Each structure stands twice: as structure tokens, then as C-alpha cells.
């Protein structure tokens, strides 16, 4: 079953980082997930009212689905492009 967590995603030149979210809507310092960019096997992007970036790791672990609402679709477009979504 899929696990749903709201939070923030940071893409650096080396890693994809997922941070937690406070009740006030701000990022926490808690690192919920980290994936080296070299460990990304593929990225798929479905653009719509709710856009989804699916990141598949090379390790065979479960894919990470990042869902973005309409208000931040341009950020989702930029992240998908930076990750090399096909």
C-alpha cells in the first residue's frame, strides 16, 4: 500500500531530498528520504491538474511518487525537467 506524507522536496546537484512538514506548513529538519541522483533509474512525469513525478531507484526499491497541485505545477515542470523525465 502506498504511504502518503506531505512535505518538501529539495533537488541538489547530488541528491533528491524529502523533508517533513510542520503543522504551520514549513519544512522541518527531518530527512524523510534521500536518493543519490546517480541511483535514479528512471523518472516519469504526468502533467495535469495534479501532476505526478515518479522516481524509480536503481536498487529496485519502491518508486517515489511526488504529487504536486495546480498551484505549484510550474515547480513540478522544472523539477521533472531537471531530473530528466521522459
Amino acid at each position: 500500500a502506498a504511504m502518503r506524507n506531505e512535505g518538501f522536496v529539495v533537488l541538489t546537484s547530488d541528491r533528491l531530498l524529502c523533508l517533513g512538514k510542520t503543522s504551520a506548513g514549513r519544512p522541518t529538519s527531518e530527512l524523510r528520504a534521500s536518493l543519490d541522483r546517480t541511483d535514479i533509474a528512471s523518472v516519469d512525469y504526468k502533467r495535469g491538474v495534479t501532476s505526478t513525478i515518479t522516481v524509480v531507484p536503481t536498487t529496485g526499491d519502491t518508486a517515489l511518487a511526488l504529487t504536486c497541485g495546480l498551484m505549484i505545477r510550474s515547480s513540478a515542470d522544472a523539477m521533472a525537467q531537471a531530473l530528466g523525465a521522459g
Side-chain angles (χ1 to χ4, degrees), residues 9 11 43-54 66-85:
V9 176
L11 183 63
V43 179
D44 185 47
Y45 183 48
K46 302 276 192 248
R47 189 174 196 265
V49 175
T50 301
S51 300
T52 303
I53 302 169
T54 305
L66 309 171
T67 305
C68 307
L70 184 61
M71 296 293 288
I72 60 170
R73 184 168 57 187
S74 62
S75 295
D77 292 345
M79 181 164 291
Q81 182 179 10
L83 287 168

Side-chain angles (χ1 to χ4, degrees), residues 16 35-44 54-64 83-86:
L16 176 72
L35 183 63
D36 286 345
R37 288 183 79 163
T38 57
D39 292 335
I40 296 174
S42 65
V43 179
D44 185 47
T54 305
V55 180
V56 179
T58 57
T59 59
D61 289 338
T62 303
L64 177 65
L83 287 168

Side-chain angles (χ1 to χ4, degrees), residues 1-9 17-22 26-28 30-34 51-53 63-69 72:
M3 186 170 93
R4 179 187 164 111
N5 283 308
E6 289 190 12
F8 292 84
V9 176
L17 307 170
C18 297
L19 304 173
K21 180 179 168 184
T22 67
R26 297 182 181 270
T28 66
E30 174 190 2
L31 184 61
R32 293 192 173 184
S34 174
S51 300
T52 303
I53 302 169
L64 177 65
L66 309 171
T67 305
C68 307
I72 60 170

